[in-house]
Amino acid sequence: MINKKFNTISVIGLGYIGLPTAAVIASRGINVIGVDVSQEAVEIINQGKIHIVEPDLDMLVQSAVTTGKLKATLIPEPADAFIIAVPTPFKDGHKPDLSFIESAVKKIAPVLKKGDLLILESTSPVGTTEKMGEWMAEIRDDLVFPHQSSDNPDIHLAHCPERVLPGYIIQELVANDRVIGGITQQCALEAEALYKIFVKGACLITDARTAEMAKLTENSFRDVNIAFANELSVICDKLKINVWELISLANRHPRVNVLSPGPGVGGHCIAVDPWFIVDSAPEEARLIAMAREVNDSKPDFVLNKLRSIASEFKTPKIACLGLAFKADIDDLRESPAVEIVKKIISENMGQVLIVEPHISKLPEQLMGEQVELISLDQAMDTANIILTLTDHSVFKQMKTDKLKEKIVLDARGIWREM
Ligand code: SAJ
């Protein structure tokens, strides 16, 4: 490991990854300049508050801002190292959209100076880190980048993909092992010196392309495994077998660990990243593409089942339990639950009662005359049909006696014994 000192580190993108990273680095006594395009986010953070929900993040940000170690700005300022943590969604045809990275790189380029380190944390298709060097070289022809001179570049460039789990970000940021891929070995060693400031896990050195592919592999691995569970649930429905019992029996084999079926795969990561592999190798990535299709078709399967149940009633009261894309968080991004509820509303299947204890107001896309956000108790008192879409702990822990009077469509298998 090399010995390098960082006085100021800048984090570009203050969302679910960037803000916790900035706050954790600031908590180690380093000056951190957070940069975001949202004026609102910048103002909230500079007041010591947070604009996202993540356990323990509020305290960390408040203390970092109060001690003067963290400040947020709209325009990048000079720093010794820059960490880019902006979104990489896909556009039409599941093609990766690198416009946020490109824009971040072009905004940083004017303040770069000899000796600076630039790290990409955003999940990206293979080759993106190399592309960043080329974008910067176009703007700063006074600086030497690693793809131009691998021996002695002015700027070091590396990819270190984030791999934290929403809900456990602060803990995992410190504890998880990190894959650090440099454009050159020296680039990786410089980045390692930065992560050693706060990472207790191992820092594993490789090249940038392998690091990019490692992150895509992790999320594709999970997606393929969830697709296996989702496909099993559809097969079991046809064969009249309880899939939850089946999986728990199969998982008693010492080398089998089937994941849980659900109403589909949500969030900004698992449902997106596998497409980056498919885009780079469309002929070869057959299983990965198929897994995406299996998971994306699961909301329709749930809707078909609901349609046939609802058709037995004139105007059924349908209680949808959970909107978040997974348990015990408030995040509705790319949530299959939201997609399903939208269809129930647009098809007028009945009166829609939504139970989502982690939000206080329905998102605009779900507002309507036939829709209400209510408590779990109210839902149990009034609904004809109970549709579970998210496995929040409060749902798992509730008394199930009232469920006997209802028709239950449990897409998460939280009441497995029923
Ligand atoms: N899901 C199932 N069945 C399961 C597990 C998950 O249906 O057995 C669903 C969830 O309900 C959710 C979706 O999959 O809708 C994704 O949830 P998740 O918990 O698998 O993953 P994320 O998106 O919260 O976080 C993932 C993590 N990656 C892996 O576990 C390999 C995290 O470590 C990454 O940092 C994150 O993606 C990311 O940012 O890339």
Side-chain angles (χ1 to χ4, degrees):
M1 192 184 122
I2 61 165
N3 203 357
K4 185 173 163 114
K5 196 164 160 31
F6 298 93
N7 292 316
T8 306
I9 295 177
S10 181
V11 179
I12 319 294
L14 298 174
Y16 281 87
I17 304 302
L19 183 56
T21 305
V24 167
I25 297 175
S27 76
R28 302 298 189 268
I30 290 177
N31 293 315
V32 179
I33 303 169
V35 184
D36 202 280
V37 289
S38 158
Q39 172 120 31
E40 198 192 346
V42 165
E43 280 170 13
I44 293 174
I45 294 163
N46 282 335
Q47 289 162 16
K49 299 187 187 136
I50 57 175
H51 60 298
I52 50 177
V53 176
E54 178 61 34
D56 302 332
L57 181 62
D58 49 352
M59 277 151 46
L60 212 56
V61 169
Q62 195 197 31
S63 132
V65 172
T66 316
T67 54
K69 288 292 169 195
L70 171 65
K71 73 163 184 176
T73 71
L74 288 165
I75 317 246
E77 295 176 15
D80 304 320
F82 296 83
I83 298 175
I84 296 183
V86 296
T88 41
F90 57 63
K91 40 191 186 189
D92 287 351
H94 300 121
K95 295 232 155 270
D97 176 1
L98 301 184
S99 59
F100 295 97
I101 298 183
E102 187 172 357
S103 151
V105 164
K106 291 186 171 164
K107 275 192 196 150
I108 300 167
V111 299
L112 277 184
K113 58 185 185 320
K114 197 173 171 176
D116 284 355
L117 167 68
L118 186 55
I119 298 173
L120 175 67
E121 281 211 9
S122 314
T123 305
S124 304
V126 173
T128 306
T129 314
E130 288 160 357
K131 220 178 247 168
M132 280 171 56
E134 288 159 18
W135 285 330
M136 283 186 295
E138 277 171 24
I139 303 174
R140 294 295 304 268
D141 57 7
D142 56 319
L143 292 171
V144 179
F145 291 90
H147 67 284
Q148 296 163 322
S149 161
S150 56
D151 292 343
N152 201 14
D154 292 333
I155 304 293
H156 288 100
L157 187 52
H159 179 55
C160 180
E162 62 83 13
R163 35 167 46 168
V164 287
L165 199 65
Y168 301 87
I169 292 182
I170 304 299
Q171 186 186 323
E172 289 206 0
L173 257 182
V174 175
N176 289 2
D177 294 346
R178 299 295 295 243
V179 176
I180 300 178
I183 294 288
T184 65
Q185 170 86 359
Q186 184 63 21
C187 292
L189 292 174
E190 297 235 347
E192 181 193 31
L194 186 148
Y195 285 100
K196 285 283 184 195
I197 295 169
F198 64 96
V199 171
K200 290 215 175 97
C203 289
L204 310 159
I205 303 284
T206 182
D207 59 81
R209 293 175 74 84
T210 308
E212 287 160 345
M213 190 61 182
K215 169 64 196 224
L216 301 179
T217 300
E218 290 159 20
N219 281 356
S220 299
F221 174 83
R222 192 147 170 90
D223 197 45
V224 168
N225 280 282
I226 298 169
F228 181 76
N230 276 334
E231 187 164 288
L232 270 183
S233 72
V234 176
I235 295 168
C236 284
D237 183 70
K238 183 171 182 174
L239 303 183
K240 301 202 181 348
I241 291 168
N242 179 329
V243 69
W244 311 104
E245 186 192 355
L246 172 87
I247 291 174
S248 70
L249 293 173
N251 283 352
R252 298 295 287 269
H253 183 287
R255 284 172 297 282
V256 173
N257 184 16
V258 181
L259 293 183
S260 304
V265 168
H268 264 22
C269 312
I270 307 259
V272 175
D273 304 348
W275 288 119
F276 295 176
I277 299 182
V278 176
D279 185 64
S280 302
E283 299 288 313
E284 295 78 6
R286 292 181 298 158
L287 179 63
I288 294 170
M290 182 58 83
R292 278 284 66 249
E293 280 161 28
V294 168
N295 286 334
D296 276 353
S297 66
K298 197 64 200 295
D300 274 339
F301 173 81
V302 174
L303 279 161
N304 273 338
K305 301 230 43 123
L306 181 66
R307 255 180 229 117
S308 93
I309 295 171
S311 65
E312 304 284 315
F313 295 81
K314 194 159 168 265
T315 309
K317 290 185 176 167
I318 307 167
C320 302
L321 270 47
L323 282 182
F325 83 83
K326 65 180 206 172
D328 301 331
I329 58 168
D330 71 328
D331 194 340
L332 310 186
R333 294 180 301 170
E334 317 293 329
S335 173
V338 172
E339 191 186 323
I340 289 169
V341 171
K342 264 164 62 181
K343 279 259 177 68
I344 301 174
I345 297 168
S346 71
E347 288 182 25
N348 251 324
M349 276 193 225
Q351 189 185 344
V352 183
L353 311 170
I354 296 175
V355 183
E356 179 42 88
H358 299 277
I359 60 170
S360 53
K361 200 171 141 243
L362 281 177
E364 229 153 75
Q365 48 176 336
L366 296 184
M367 286 185 182
E369 279 174 25
Q370 292 283 331
V371 191
E372 259 183 286
L373 181 65
I374 61 170
S375 70
L376 186 55
D377 286 343
Q378 284 171 307
M380 287 303 142
D381 285 342
T382 54
N384 309 111
I385 301 171
I386 305 284
L387 170 63
T388 47
L389 295 172
T390 310
D391 45 348
H392 289 315
S393 306
V394 278
F395 302 153
K396 286 189 191 157
Q397 287 150 8
M398 70 177 232
K399 286 205 187 100
T400 52
D401 41 341
K402 280 198 181 148
L403 288 177
K404 304 223 160 44
E405 302 147 23
K406 319 277 176 199
I407 298 192
V408 178
L409 182 51
D410 182 4
R412 289 282 182 180
I414 57 181
W415 304 301
R416 289 166 193 201
E417 70 283 3
M418 291 191 64

